Structure formats: structure tokens, C-alpha cells
Amino acid sequence: MRLLLVEDDPMIGKAVRQGLLNAGFTVDWAHDGAAAELALRNGVYDLAILDLGLPVKDGMALLGSVRRGGNHLPVLIATARDAVSARIAGLNAGADDYLVKPFDMDELVARVRALLRRHAGSGSSLLTTGDLVLDPLRKTVTQGGQPVALSAREFALLETLMQRPGAVLSREKLEESMYGWGEEIGSNAIEVHLHYLRKKLGSAVIVNVRGVGYRVAD
Ligand code: CA
């Protein structure tokens, strides 16, 4: 899952980014409202964490233009503006959740996961396909009840596929959801991770739709 963090404070931004990386998310960090607006245009994000007091373009203005543009991605406001009127204004402008600084990193991660679940239309955090069960919280995968050990990238790849059961995802789409800005991607990195995933889970688990991409088997 790829998140956009919009935060101008270097200390807070660094800590939040690291906390989200530790939780297994791919994170891009935009330092002002205009950079965030530009980043959101390419539509690769699953969720945005939005500060309100931002240079160039304020968070509320950014949120307004994102929603007016028809972009429905989940937005969690994380701000020092703690007045009830500010919270109401944020939610009314289209935010999905509102967290006041200083916040606990674990709470932020829990809220991000809850929003992603809700957005995917599922109340459960477990992803299930056939006898395959993936737990995004515990970072575990079982197949037929037996645990399967995966690398962090293999896990992220499988999670991306299982979040969209039945959908065929192109290699570019998989890369976008797994790698952030400035991360080196080998030309066949996705194929290599898929190869190992198939080796561990069985070749029938991930279907290659020739010339289009990949999906998890029904
Ligand atoms: Ca700020």
C-alpha cells in the first residue's frame, strides 16, 4: 500500500514516515501543499495523511481541490489545529478521519489501516483467497492453515494482489504500489518476487494474464 505523507515539519515528517515504513507501507513524503497536489494527480496512492498548516498551499485548500477534482482517496488529517470547529471543517471538506498532534504513532497506523479496510469495503483486517489467509497486522500468511514465510517485498506484493481479488494488475501498477520515490527498482524486480511467491505458494496461486498483468487465483 502506497501512502502520501503531506507534512512540512522535518522532525515530525521524518518520524511519521519511519513509523509508516516500519508498519510495512510504501511512503512518499511531500513537504508542501503544491507538491502534494502534483503527486496526487498521478493517482497511485491508497491514502493520504494531510497536515493542515502547510507552505505554498494550505491543507484545507488542497483537500478542497482534491475532492472537487473527484479524487476519492481516503484522507486522514493530522494537525495541531485541535479546535472542534477545525475538526468539523476538516471532516466536512471531505477528510475521512482527523487526528490531533501530538499523536501516538500506533494510533495513526491503526487509523490508517481502518480507513484502508473501510475503503476496500471490508470490516475485517484479514485478506482471504481460497485457502490463503493474509493478516496485514501481524504480517503473516497461512496456506491451508500452515504458516508461509515471505520476505517483506513478497508479502507486500501478495497483499497488493489480495486487496483487489479478481482484478488484473499490470506490472507498472504493482511497482507503483510497492516502491516509493527514489527507490531503485530492478527491471524485472516484480517478476523475481512473483517467481519466489509462486515457488512458496504454488504456481497456480498467481495467474499471469498474458500482456496485461497478474491476479490472484479465485
Ligand atoms: Ca505544518
Side-chain angles (χ1 to χ4, degrees):
M1 297 301 257
R2 185 160 168 184
L3 313 182
L4 182 68
L5 169 64
V6 191
E7 173 62 68
D8 63 314
D9 184 296
M11 296 274 284
I12 297 173
K14 203 173 164 206
V16 171
R17 180 173 175 276
Q18 192 57 51
L20 293 168
L21 289 173
N22 293 347
F25 295 107
T26 299
V27 185
D28 293 330
W29 178 9
H31 299 251
D32 66 61
E37 190 165 33
L38 201 63
L40 286 170
R41 255 177 227 159
N42 60 30
V44 301
Y45 298 102
D46 298 293
L47 180 144
I49 296 167
L50 180 64
D51 182 24
L52 291 184
L54 290 168
V56 192
K57 185 164 194 164
D58 181 79
M60 285 296 288
L62 172 61
L63 179 59
S65 68
V66 163
R67 291 304 189 225
R68 275 194 305 280
N71 189 336
H72 299 295
L73 97 160
V75 173
L76 186 157
I77 290 176
T79 178
R81 295 181 193 169
D82 63 350
V84 172
S85 59
R87 298 183 200 209
I88 292 169
L91 294 169
N92 281 343
D96 298 279
D97 200 357
Y98 196 105
L99 198 54
V100 174
K101 292 173 182 169
F103 51 78
D104 184 274
M105 194 61 218
D106 290 339
E107 182 178 2
L108 176 69
V109 169
R111 284 175 183 258
V112 164
R113 290 199 196 287
L115 287 178
L116 291 170
R117 280 203 302 276
R118 206 181 305 156
H119 197 66
S122 164
S124 163
S125 63
L126 293 181
L127 300 175
T128 307
T129 307
D131 65 350
L132 207 58
V133 179
L134 182 145
D135 186 336
L137 290 177
R138 294 184 180 81
K139 300 270 165 238
T140 59
V141 173
T142 60
Q143 189 175 34
Q146 297 300 311
V148 184
L150 299 180
S151 74
R153 291 290 193 203
E154 290 159 10
F155 185 91
L157 185 54
L158 185 62
E159 186 178 16
T160 301
L161 287 164
M162 287 179 74
Q163 269 153 356
R164 300 160 182 85
V168 180
L169 301 178
S170 67
R171 197 182 75 173
E172 291 73 26
K173 180 79 200 160
L174 292 170
E175 283 175 353
E176 280 170 7
S177 89
M178 288 176 59
Y179 295 91
W181 295 340
E183 279 191 81
E184 203 67 41
I185 313 174
S187 59
N188 60 351
I190 294 288
E191 279 85 353
V192 171
H193 294 310
L194 283 167
H195 169 78
Y196 283 109
L197 265 182
R198 284 209 176 103
K199 222 170 148 176
K200 291 176 180 180
L201 300 172
S203 56
V205 167
I206 295 161
V207 180
N208 181 7
V209 182
R210 204 168 287 278
V212 186
Y214 303 89
R215 66 174 174 82
V216 281
D218 304 319

